Amino acid sequence: MYRTGDRVRWMSDGTLEYLGRTDEQVKIRGFRIEPGEVEAALLRHPAVGPGGRSFAREDSGHRRLVAYLVAAAAAAVPTMPEVAVVVERSVPDYMVPSAFAVLDRLPLSPSGKVDRRALPAAGSPA
């Protein structure tokens, strides 16, 4: 057996039911994307603090990659075109988020993880 990262289970009729991924990897427009790579590229901008995250979001039936940024403590709020240029230099085109949102802080669940449902809708594409 190969370890693909896909979670499945055997059904009583012998078929496999897909349950999701064991990692953070997402598939957008046919490309597999590791959000951690995008987040590392976001952190290369000096005005982006360590809270930058990227998620696949559904908007009107289309899946897209959205970046949520937290400004670095001593820096001004980063402009989205500046951040997009830094990310474009670090990752392939298909891994560049289509929208960015700057937050004061990321919303957290009681367990301390990012609460994806509490994230606001991202702004216009970069």
Side-chain angles (χ1 to χ4, degrees), residues 83-100:
V83 175
V85 167
V86 170
V87 173
E88 287 171 354
R89 290 183 194 147
S90 304
V91 297
D93 290 341
Y94 64 87
M95 292 177 69
V96 176
S98 63
F100 297 84

mmCIF file of all heavy atoms in Angstrom, residues 83-100:
data_model
loop_
_atom_site.group_PDB
_atom_site.id
_atom_site.type_symbol
_atom_site.label_atom_id
_atom_site.label_comp_id
_atom_site.label_asym_id
_atom_site.label_seq_id
_atom_site.Cartn_x
_atom_site.Cartn_y
_atom_site.Cartn_z
ATOM 1 N N VAL A 83 2.525 42.239 -0.931
ATOM 2 C CA VAL A 83 2.573 40.863 -0.435
ATOM 3 C C VAL A 83 2.469 39.890 -1.603
ATOM 4 O O VAL A 83 3.200 38.901 -1.660
ATOM 5 C CB VAL A 83 1.450 40.610 0.598
ATOM 6 C CG1 VAL A 83 1.422 39.156 1.016
ATOM 7 C CG2 VAL A 83 1.627 41.519 1.806
ATOM 8 N N ALA A 84 1.596 40.173 -2.549
ATOM 9 C CA ALA A 84 1.426 39.288 -3.704
ATOM 10 C C ALA A 84 2.725 39.159 -4.490
ATOM 11 O O ALA A 84 3.087 38.068 -4.931
ATOM 12 C CB ALA A 84 0.304 39.795 -4.602
ATOM 13 N N VAL A 85 3.461 40.264 -4.655
ATOM 14 C CA VAL A 85 4.726 40.226 -5.390
ATOM 15 C C VAL A 85 5.732 39.332 -4.666
ATOM 16 O O VAL A 85 6.427 38.529 -5.299
ATOM 17 C CB VAL A 85 5.287 41.654 -5.588
ATOM 18 C CG1 VAL A 85 6.721 41.630 -6.064
ATOM 19 C CG2 VAL A 85 4.418 42.427 -6.563
ATOM 20 N N VAL A 86 5.816 39.446 -3.352
ATOM 21 C CA VAL A 86 6.747 38.618 -2.574
ATOM 22 C C VAL A 86 6.379 37.140 -2.707
ATOM 23 O O VAL A 86 7.240 36.285 -2.898
ATOM 24 C CB VAL A 86 6.768 39.066 -1.095
ATOM 25 C CG1 VAL A 86 7.529 38.084 -0.238
ATOM 26 C CG2 VAL A 86 7.369 40.457 -0.973
ATOM 27 N N VAL A 87 5.094 36.832 -2.626
ATOM 28 C CA VAL A 87 4.650 35.446 -2.731
ATOM 29 C C VAL A 87 4.915 34.912 -4.141
ATOM 30 O O VAL A 87 5.381 33.781 -4.303
ATOM 31 C CB VAL A 87 3.157 35.314 -2.353
ATOM 32 C CG1 VAL A 87 2.641 33.911 -2.618
ATOM 33 C CG2 VAL A 87 2.956 35.683 -0.893
ATOM 34 N N GLU A 88 4.646 35.725 -5.166
ATOM 35 C CA GLU A 88 4.862 35.299 -6.559
ATOM 36 C C GLU A 88 6.310 34.929 -6.835
ATOM 37 O O GLU A 88 6.588 34.089 -7.682
ATOM 38 C CB GLU A 88 4.428 36.399 -7.524
ATOM 39 C CG GLU A 88 2.926 36.552 -7.617
ATOM 40 C CD GLU A 88 2.502 37.783 -8.399
ATOM 41 O OE1 GLU A 88 3.381 38.606 -8.783
ATOM 42 O OE2 GLU A 88 1.296 37.941 -8.606
ATOM 43 N N ARG A 89 7.240 35.557 -6.124
ATOM 44 C CA ARG A 89 8.669 35.246 -6.298
ATOM 45 C C ARG A 89 9.049 33.908 -5.665
ATOM 46 O O ARG A 89 10.087 33.345 -5.998
ATOM 47 C CB ARG A 89 9.522 36.341 -5.666
ATOM 48 C CG ARG A 89 9.484 37.639 -6.393
ATOM 49 C CD ARG A 89 10.416 38.633 -5.737
ATOM 50 N NE ARG A 89 10.152 39.976 -6.220
ATOM 51 C CZ ARG A 89 10.290 41.068 -5.511
ATOM 52 N NH1 ARG A 89 10.715 40.985 -4.258
ATOM 53 N NH2 ARG A 89 10.025 42.243 -6.023
ATOM 54 N N SER A 90 8.221 33.432 -4.729
ATOM 55 C CA SER A 90 8.581 32.259 -3.942
ATOM 56 C C SER A 90 7.881 30.965 -4.330
ATOM 57 O O SER A 90 8.392 29.889 -4.054
ATOM 58 C CB SER A 90 8.290 32.531 -2.464
ATOM 59 O OG SER A 90 8.965 33.684 -2.032
ATOM 60 N N VAL A 91 6.692 31.075 -4.916
ATOM 61 C CA VAL A 91 5.913 29.869 -5.230
ATOM 62 C C VAL A 91 5.394 29.938 -6.665
ATOM 63 O O VAL A 91 5.329 31.021 -7.248
ATOM 64 C CB VAL A 91 4.720 29.697 -4.249
ATOM 65 C CG1 VAL A 91 5.199 29.493 -2.826
ATOM 66 C CG2 VAL A 91 3.757 30.855 -4.338
ATOM 67 N N PRO A 92 5.005 28.813 -7.240
ATOM 68 C CA PRO A 92 4.430 28.828 -8.593
ATOM 69 C C PRO A 92 3.133 29.645 -8.636
ATOM 70 O O PRO A 92 2.472 29.846 -7.609
ATOM 71 C CB PRO A 92 4.145 27.362 -8.885
ATOM 72 C CG PRO A 92 4.947 26.588 -7.908
ATOM 73 C CD PRO A 92 5.142 27.463 -6.717
ATOM 74 N N ASP A 93 2.746 30.081 -9.824
ATOM 75 C CA ASP A 93 1.553 30.921 -10.005
ATOM 76 C C ASP A 93 0.302 30.328 -9.373
ATOM 77 O O ASP A 93 -0.498 31.046 -8.779
ATOM 78 C CB ASP A 93 1.283 31.163 -11.490
ATOM 79 C CG ASP A 93 2.327 32.062 -12.133
ATOM 80 O OD1 ASP A 93 3.035 32.769 -11.392
ATOM 81 O OD2 ASP A 93 2.420 32.057 -13.370
ATOM 82 N N TYR A 94 0.113 29.020 -9.523
ATOM 83 C CA TYR A 94 -1.112 28.403 -9.022
ATOM 84 C C TYR A 94 -1.186 28.385 -7.498
ATOM 85 O O TYR A 94 -2.244 28.118 -6.926
ATOM 86 C CB TYR A 94 -1.283 26.983 -9.582
ATOM 87 C CG TYR A 94 -0.235 25.989 -9.161
ATOM 88 C CD1 TYR A 94 -0.365 25.267 -7.989
ATOM 89 C CD2 TYR A 94 0.889 25.771 -9.947
ATOM 90 C CE1 TYR A 94 0.595 24.357 -7.597
ATOM 91 C CE2 TYR A 94 1.854 24.856 -9.573
ATOM 92 C CZ TYR A 94 1.702 24.148 -8.403
ATOM 93 O OH TYR A 94 2.657 23.244 -8.018
ATOM 94 N N MET A 95 -0.073 28.685 -6.812
ATOM 95 C CA MET A 95 -0.057 28.703 -5.349
ATOM 96 C C MET A 95 -0.208 30.109 -4.767
ATOM 97 O O MET A 95 -0.265 30.267 -3.548
ATOM 98 C CB MET A 95 1.228 28.060 -4.832
ATOM 99 C CG MET A 95 1.286 26.573 -5.105
ATOM 100 S SD MET A 95 2.824 25.803 -4.573
ATOM 101 C CE MET A 95 2.691 25.917 -2.801
ATOM 102 N N VAL A 96 -0.291 31.122 -5.611
ATOM 103 C CA VAL A 96 -0.462 32.496 -5.139
ATOM 104 C C VAL A 96 -1.931 32.677 -4.752
ATOM 105 O O VAL A 96 -2.819 32.404 -5.561
ATOM 106 C CB VAL A 96 -0.053 33.510 -6.218
ATOM 107 C CG1 VAL A 96 -0.324 34.933 -5.745
ATOM 108 C CG2 VAL A 96 1.414 33.338 -6.578
ATOM 109 N N PRO A 97 -2.206 33.123 -3.525
ATOM 110 C CA PRO A 97 -3.602 33.322 -3.124
ATOM 111 C C PRO A 97 -4.314 34.303 -4.047
ATOM 112 O O PRO A 97 -3.725 35.276 -4.519
ATOM 113 C CB PRO A 97 -3.489 33.890 -1.708
ATOM 114 C CG PRO A 97 -2.169 33.401 -1.215
ATOM 115 C CD PRO A 97 -1.282 33.388 -2.419
ATOM 116 N N SER A 98 -5.589 34.045 -4.291
ATOM 117 C CA SER A 98 -6.364 34.927 -5.161
ATOM 118 C C SER A 98 -6.920 36.122 -4.398
ATOM 119 O O SER A 98 -7.393 37.081 -4.997
ATOM 120 C CB SER A 98 -7.498 34.165 -5.835
ATOM 121 O OG SER A 98 -8.389 33.689 -4.863
ATOM 122 N N ALA A 99 -6.895 36.064 -3.072
ATOM 123 C CA ALA A 99 -7.374 37.178 -2.256
ATOM 124 C C ALA A 99 -6.599 37.198 -0.946
ATOM 125 O O ALA A 99 -6.094 36.171 -0.496
ATOM 126 C CB ALA A 99 -8.862 37.036 -1.988
ATOM 127 N N PHE A 100 -6.514 38.394 -0.366
ATOM 128 C CA PHE A 100 -5.816 38.585 0.897
ATOM 129 C C PHE A 100 -6.723 39.360 1.844
ATOM 130 O O PHE A 100 -7.502 40.199 1.406
ATOM 131 C CB PHE A 100 -4.520 39.395 0.703
ATOM 132 C CG PHE A 100 -3.513 38.719 -0.168
ATOM 133 C CD1 PHE A 100 -3.582 38.813 -1.547
ATOM 134 C CD2 PHE A 100 -2.492 37.999 0.387
ATOM 135 C CE1 PHE A 100 -2.645 38.196 -2.349
ATOM 136 C CE2 PHE A 100 -1.540 37.371 -0.412
ATOM 137 C CZ PHE A 100 -1.624 37.478 -1.781
#
